[in-house]
Amino acid sequence: MFHTVLIANRGEIACRIIRTLRELGIRSVAVYSDADAGARHVHLADTAVRLGPAPAAQSYLDAEAVLEAARQSGADAIHPGYGFLAENAGFALACEAAGVSFIGPTSEAISVMGDKITAKHAVEARGVPTVPGVARSGMSDAELAASADEVGYPLLIKPSAGGGGKGMHVVDSESALIPALTAARREAAASFGDDTLFLERYISHPRHIEVQVLADAHGAVVHLGERECSLQRRHQKVIEEAPSPLLDERTRERIGAAACETARSVGYRGAGTVEFIVSADAPDEFFFMEMNTRLQVEHPVTEEVTGLDLVEQQLRVAAGEPLGFAQADVVLRGHSFEARVYAEDPASGFLPTGGHVASVQHPRGDGIRVDTALEDDLDVSTDYDPMLAKVISWGADREQARRRLVAALGETAVFGVVTNVEFLRMLLELPDVVAGRLDTDLIARELEGFSFARAEDRDFAEAALILDAAATRDTGPWARRDGWRLGDPVPRRYALRAGDEARTVSVGGAGVLTVGIDAHEQSAGVVFLDDTRVSVDIGGSVRTFSALRGEESVSLLRDGAVIDIGIERARHAADAAGQADPQLISPMPGTVVVARVADGDTVQVGDEIVVVEAMKMEHVVRSAVAGTVSLRVAPGETVSRGQTLAVVTPAASGPDTAPGAG
Ligand code: ADP
Ligand code: ADP
Ligand code: MG
């Protein structure tokens, strides 16, 4: 077995791999970029080596720097995790050349499977069914268009080098084909440096079902059952489970055998995943989509139902050990779900968030596992993938596993950074999800019906009480600026805001703690149980929950939703007068790519002012008022969420008579 293993990755997966290395008594080496100097994986590992500055190309994707770190730290093997260098055939070769074991398959297997076109041909030769389509490399737009009729509509355009759901386009009719091909080619070139495209029939009511395989270096191949990953948004997985509620025993056996055949087609070694698409309309027919030649994000659900540690298996195979079991020894037990916690805001179009995690609360309980990169006092940068953690549940049956995950997500709090936890919880409660009637369009279909938690009167009252108690405890009642004393009938007023909701809350008065909104007063009490747990009594109704106190703000956890309520020092004059906001605020952390106007320009309502980009997603910020613009940022500048980008001074005569620009 290896003595020292370097993990060429970051985030939750680096932490996850370190856990198994520790259990096996293997020394772990973390690598990090400047953005990650204080990250969890860095201090979990036995040693850590700096790779370079924040951009992935200069750190986690810099193969030479990673190999140098391996030399420096005496690592005899490299675990690539997923993403980054995990499916880079050149890197696998370079490892072998440097005398370091690459924990994964051969570079030939990576090459064949890394190109979806060659992968399809390889598995077809073994009798594995693939999605009907036209897949030849080097086809021009005209050639693809000429063969589109043969594929039929709707069809899917896919980049051959694709990954992460990027660059795929569903086309419903001939007229939309050429523009979609143009866009797909551009995106594929930008994301993968390869603009090869191919066409597949778009499977109706698609369900994504994938099979985990494990192969040793001596020719043994087994499968560890399937995972269903049909809950997707823009072709990216959100919630996964094992086993699939769709498959019957016979189909399960057939799809497992097809996955093993796929692995054999490239002499596979290690852990891999064979992805299939199944139409909900024909559940016993499956088609190969691609093989991921690495550990998958959602591998924990397979670990939960098989009792195997896949990272341990990867290490053993890479060290040359034969598999310690046969297909018949693989027994699936119970059911498991995984929910991916992303730094994104579902309430505003899933824009990426990020920022400073002041405090994090992970759920605990029977059958709950959390794979996470999060900890208190951590900066979440937008340089990398927005996935922060995974909450995983196991239950004796599907419903128990689902309920456990719902409960666990309700207790998950990431204070300081907006996440999708509330969305995940609501998703798991949808009737179709409860019934196991899944398909990859479900989220898009149901999204409109989602209503995210908003701050209510009771939340504002609780926030005011918590802030007031903190102020009173910190300074003592006699030292207060407003001269509050026992018996003083004058209450303290808090002007509070949560998003676009605002309330004024009064606290105190007449020597008894009372809280009032809109002159409706009730007796109140607040007890701090520990740093984050608090119990609040208002008029005899008690709620106990997690909360985080800041200097001027409080974050309350409500069933997986974190509600941030802050003191408003000066409510905008415009807001008080019921007018539109003259300030243009960045909706996400990112980089200013372009300013559409010059400082001092006259602008109209709805004019594009600034474009902010993060995670390859552009967001246009428009003026809500007419007037003269004053830019506060310049192209290339990094901005935080909520930062003022520009201010528009309304024309004195009012928006209706504002002069037209130019
Ligand atoms: P999974 O099924 O494991 O989620 P994905 O294809 O979605 O597989 O990718 C896994 C991880 O790797 C994600 O974090 C994704 O962003 C990243 N990833 C996948 N392909 C690429 C790529 N070509 N370049 C960079 N990152 C990628
Ligand atoms: P990636 O490498 O980006 O993961 P995949 O080929 O695995 O690309 O496809 C990503 C997702 O797109 C799948 O999980 C599935 O939801 C959807 N998809 C792919 N091929 C088809 C198809 N032919 N019909 C319908 N949906 C598809
Ligand atoms: Mg895929």
Side-chain angles (χ1 to χ4, degrees):
M1 186 40 79
F2 305 113
H3 177 268
T4 301
V5 173
L6 180 142
I7 305 106
N9 217 298
R10 62 180 302 280
E12 67 83 21
I13 193 63
C15 301
R16 153 76 190 87
I17 294 164
I18 293 168
R19 174 167 69 71
T20 292
L21 292 174
R22 177 127 317 146
E23 279 165 18
L24 296 177
I26 299 171
R27 195 166 147 262
S28 55
V29 181
V31 290
Y32 63 95
S33 71
D34 290 339
D36 280 339
R40 184 162 181 262
H41 75 279
V42 174
H43 48 256
L44 281 184
D46 293 317
T47 44
V49 182
R50 174 184 178 271
L51 291 176
Q58 294 167 57
S59 51
Y60 299 104
L61 283 172
D62 183 343
E64 204 29 67
V66 171
L67 285 168
E68 180 51 36
R71 267 191 290 274
Q72 242 181 62
S73 57
D76 44 6
I78 295 182
H79 195 307
Y82 54 73
F84 297 126
L85 298 168
E87 287 166 291
N88 184 318
F91 179 68
L93 263 184
C95 286
E96 304 303 337
V100 184
S101 299
F102 174 79
I103 299 173
T106 60
S107 62
E108 295 80 29
I110 298 175
S111 294
V112 173
M113 290 303 177
D115 179 310
K116 291 193 166 90
I117 294 175
T118 55
K120 278 184 104 160
H121 296 319
V123 307
E124 276 164 3
R126 291 276 180 149
V128 175
T130 59
V131 187
V134 173
R136 284 195 310 276
S137 58
M139 289 178 83
S140 65
D141 285 3
E143 286 168 316
L144 286 165
S147 52
D149 275 345
E150 184 187 319
V151 178
Y153 293 93
L155 60 76
L156 190 61
I157 303 172
K158 283 187 171 185
S160 192
K166 292 192 197 91
M168 301 194 342
H169 287 258
V170 181
V171 182
D172 291 322
S173 65
E174 196 182 337
S175 62
L177 184 64
I178 292 293
L181 282 170
T182 312
R185 234 185 250 286
R186 200 175 47 231
E187 288 162 10
S191 292
F192 314 113
D194 174 350
D195 70 358
T196 309
L197 301 176
F198 67 101
L199 306 179
E200 270 183 5
R201 180 182 303 162
Y202 186 77
I203 301 295
S204 64
H205 303 111
R207 296 182 67 143
H208 174 119
I209 296 178
E210 59 183 36
V211 180
Q212 177 71 55
V213 296
L214 198 55
D216 66 19
H218 313 281
V221 184
V222 298
H223 72 83
L224 304 178
E226 82 284 357
R227 300 183 281 258
E228 173 145 14
C229 317
S230 300
L231 291 173
Q232 302 186 350
R233 205 180 72 80
R234 297 187 173 176
H235 310 298
Q236 180 70 275
K237 298 158 189 168
V238 178
I239 289 179
E240 304 99 339
E241 60 182 295
S244 161
L246 183 71
L247 300 191
D248 57 33
E249 268 318 312
R250 232 191 83 66
T251 313
R252 177 164 293 125
E253 254 171 57
R254 282 169 50 228
I255 204 170
C260 291
E261 236 6 80
T262 300
R264 286 190 192 100
S265 76
V266 288
Y268 200 77
R269 177 185 79 197
T273 296
V274 186
E275 297 190 332
F276 295 94
I277 194 119
V278 182
S279 169
D281 308 329
D284 55 351
E285 236 188 320
F286 51 83
F287 304 99
F288 169 88
M289 275 193 301
E290 66 161 340
M291 179 170 193
N292 291 325
T293 54
R294 54 169 162 89
L295 192 65
Q296 198 96 332
V297 173
E298 57 276 18
H299 76 279
V301 296
T302 297
E303 296 187 321
E304 293 303 309
V305 297
T306 58
L308 289 165
D309 178 331
L310 284 171
V311 174
E312 176 185 343
Q313 295 301 324
Q314 287 186 296
L315 289 160
R316 293 197 183 287
V317 167
E321 290 183 24
L323 286 184
F325 54 89
Q327 189 64 59
D329 301 322
V330 178
V331 181
L332 305 181
R333 204 181 124 257
H335 202 98
S336 178
F337 276 95
E338 171 185 278
R340 300 186 184 197
V341 177
Y342 284 109
E344 64 184 17
D345 186 2
S348 49
F350 293 88
L351 286 181
T353 58
H356 183 77
V357 176
S359 164
V360 57
Q361 178 182 301
H362 288 125
R364 276 186 297 235
D366 283 347
I368 295 302
R369 159 177 170 185
V370 183
D371 283 13
T372 186
L374 290 173
E375 57 191 357
D376 292 356
D377 196 23
L378 178 89
D379 284 315
V380 173
S381 87
T382 47
D383 290 304
Y384 314 109
D385 192 273
M387 202 183 73
L388 303 175
K390 302 175 317 205
V391 183
I392 301 129
S393 71
W394 181 87
D397 57 26
R398 187 174 186 270
E399 183 57 10
Q400 187 184 39
R402 191 191 64 81
R403 280 169 188 262
R404 282 178 168 175
L405 185 55
V406 169
L409 290 169
E411 291 163 14
T412 304
V414 185
F415 292 116
V417 170
V418 175
T419 71
N420 66 337
V421 171
E422 181 192 14
F423 165 75
L424 293 170
R425 200 168 180 270
M426 293 195 289
L427 195 54
L428 282 162
E429 295 279 45
L430 291 174
D432 280 346
V433 175
V434 175
R437 282 188 301 268
L438 313 174
D439 66 81
T440 62
D441 299 327
L442 184 146
I443 291 181
R445 230 175 15 244
E446 298 273 354
L447 199 54
E448 240 172 274
F450 277 37
S451 76
F452 298 100
R454 299 173 70 84
E456 292 172 6
D457 283 358
R458 167 102 194 198
D459 302 307
F460 281 102
E462 286 169 346
L465 286 164
I466 292 168
L467 284 164
D468 189 71
T472 308
R473 199 192 61 181
D474 292 345
T475 58
W478 306 105
R480 296 186 59 93
R481 255 179 300 123
D482 59 7
W484 180 78
R485 302 178 304 278
L486 273 179
D488 190 333
V490 182
R492 298 170 293 285
R493 291 191 175 280
Y494 292 90
L496 300 177
R497 171 172 291 277
D500 48 15
E501 299 272 338
R503 301 279 194 290
T504 300
V505 185
S506 61
V507 179
V512 187
L513 189 56
T514 59
V515 62
I517 293 186
D518 299 334
H520 178 73
E521 299 218 338
Q522 284 186 284
S523 64
V526 52
V527 178
F528 294 94
L529 304 172
D530 57 41
D531 278 355
T532 54
R533 298 288 291 172
V534 62
S535 195
V536 182
D537 175 346
I538 296 179
S541 135
V542 182
R543 295 210 301 199
T544 300
F545 52 91
S546 293
L548 189 79
R549 282 180 289 169
E551 291 269 299
E552 306 228 313
S553 65
V554 181
S555 301
L556 312 175
L557 179 63
R558 295 274 170 260
D559 296 336
V562 172
I563 296 179
D564 300 306
I565 301 181
I567 296 183
E568 222 174 355
R569 279 294 162 219
R571 228 163 247 175
H572 290 152
D575 185 47
Q579 290 168 4
D581 197 336
Q583 293 202 56
L584 275 65
I585 303 294
S586 178
M588 59 188 187
T591 309
V592 176
V593 284
V594 62
R596 296 272 197 235
V597 296
D599 203 43
D601 275 4
T602 302
V603 299
Q604 303 301 321
V605 174
D607 279 1
E608 298 187 357
I609 309 296
V610 173
V611 181
V612 179
E613 189 233 64
M615 309 259 176
K616 299 203 167 76
M617 201 193 307
E618 289 193 349
H619 191 87
V620 180
V621 181
R622 298 164 188 276
S623 184
V625 301
T628 309
V629 68
S630 158
L631 291 174
R632 299 290 158 86
V633 292
E637 201 171 308
T638 310
V639 293
S640 55
R641 178 186 165 96
Q643 184 171 335
T644 303
L645 302 170
V647 178
V648 180
T649 309
S653 45
D656 288 341
T657 53

